[in-house]
Amino acid sequence: MVRKLLLTRRSPARWLLAALTAVAATAGVLPGTAHAAENVVGGTRAAQGEFPFMVRLSMGCGGALYSPRLVLTAAHCVSGTGTNTSITATLGVVDLQSSSRITVRSNYVYRAPGYNGNGKDWALIRLATPVTGLATLPIATTTAYDSGTFTVAGWGAAREGGAQQRYLLKATVPYVADATCDNSYPDLIPSDEICAGYTAGGVDTCQGDSGGPMFRRDASNAWIQVGIVSWGNGCARPNYPGVYTQVSTFASAIASAAASLGG
């Protein structure tokens, strides 16, 4: 099983690789690996302003703007809780090389308490200054939206082992029931994780999409985040859906952490 960063799910070396590739990630280009984490495979280019809450992080992950000063991402994308000024967030554009892009440094990271590589795959990154003029992405607080068809987006690879993308890609993926997903992933944690993808494969998140949001429309037709790109077996392989952090499970903990960070 592989994280949709660049390393295996439980690899103790993933932080070293993340550090070595951080500079390339900032430019939106990362080398591929044979069994990489997810980017959007089978996707199409997003329109400018379509998903204003999308964030690209310099360690090679994605994220979503939870509040003007906080980015929600995956725990496996960060090294731990504490002061951290090494991460650059790029926002406000689909083209990472656009002169209109907004870049903000981090000043603190909060990683889910008890995270050990199995479940609890969420983290908050506090930005040094708040971002104005961009919509945030509310998170699901109940399981009401944890089914149906979801949207995923990211700057990750467009094929397994491929290069990171300059332009934001998007795709839709259907919910996969826990019992079905467990057939593909016996180590799935149903209370912490939610699966989405096609039996035939072909559409998925991929390497470099880790930490990005999986979202859908709520009852008011507004976007709501239901998942965080976490891990999977390769990218878009048949019978291997993507595995996402089930945001509703951690909504209270995320809100509490956000409050403690002043966000």
Side-chain angles (χ1 to χ4, degrees):
M1 310 310 166
V2 294
R3 289 291 182 191
K4 295 183 180 180
L5 181 53
L6 289 175
L7 298 146
T8 58
R9 188 179 186 198
R10 300 181 179 88
S11 170
R14 65 176 174 270
W15 311 121
L16 175 59
L17 179 54
L20 292 174
T21 56
V23 174
T26 304
V29 179
L30 281 173
T33 56
H35 297 287
E38 298 180 61
N39 152 57
V40 178
V41 177
T44 57
R45 190 178 295 184
Q48 177 61 36
E50 187 173 5
F51 308 122
F53 44 77
M54 289 297 301
V55 182
R56 177 65 171 175
L57 298 169
S58 58
M59 81 288 283
C61 283
L65 201 59
Y66 176 88
S67 73
R69 201 171 177 183
L70 296 175
V71 175
L72 181 62
T73 188
H76 75 266
C77 288
V78 300
S79 56
T81 296
T83 300
N84 186 324
T85 60
S86 68
I87 301 167
T88 299
T90 301
L91 313 92
V93 293
V94 296
D95 177 1
L96 292 174
Q97 296 180 26
S98 169
S99 60
S100 301
R101 67 186 183 274
I102 300 167
T103 57
V104 187
R105 300 284 284 190
S106 63
N107 66 10
Y108 195 87
V109 169
Y110 182 98
R111 192 171 71 177
Y115 173 74
N116 63 3
N118 297 289
K120 300 183 178 66
D121 195 9
W122 66 269
L124 288 167
I125 296 172
R126 188 174 66 192
L127 304 177
T129 57
V131 176
T132 59
L134 293 179
T136 58
L137 181 60
I139 64 173
T141 57
T142 72
T143 59
Y145 300 110
D146 289 353
S147 61
T149 300
F150 309 117
T151 297
V152 290
W155 288 271
R159 62 178 176 81
E160 185 172 324
Q164 304 295 281
Q165 303 296 298
R166 171 178 172 177
Y167 297 96
L168 181 67
L169 297 181
K170 64 177 180 177
T172 57
V173 286
Y175 168 73
V176 175
D178 289 343
T180 301
C181 195
D182 188 61
N183 290 330
S184 300
Y185 301 118
D187 54 349
L188 181 75
I189 306 174
S191 62
D192 287 18
E193 298 168 330
I194 182 173
C195 301
Y198 294 92
T199 302
V203 181
D204 198 2
T205 50
C206 198
Q207 149 200 349
D209 287 331
S210 278
M214 179 170 74
F215 47 101
R216 55 160 290 176
R217 297 290 187 178
D218 66 11
S220 301
N221 202 40
W223 290 121
I224 189 168
Q225 183 171 355
V226 298
I228 300 169
V229 178
S230 185
W231 61 282
N233 187 359
C235 304
R237 297 183 186 182
N239 299 308
Y240 285 105
V243 182
Y244 301 78
T245 303
Q246 191 164 2
V247 171
S248 60
T249 299
F250 303 103
S252 178
I254 292 170
S256 178
S260 73
L261 295 174

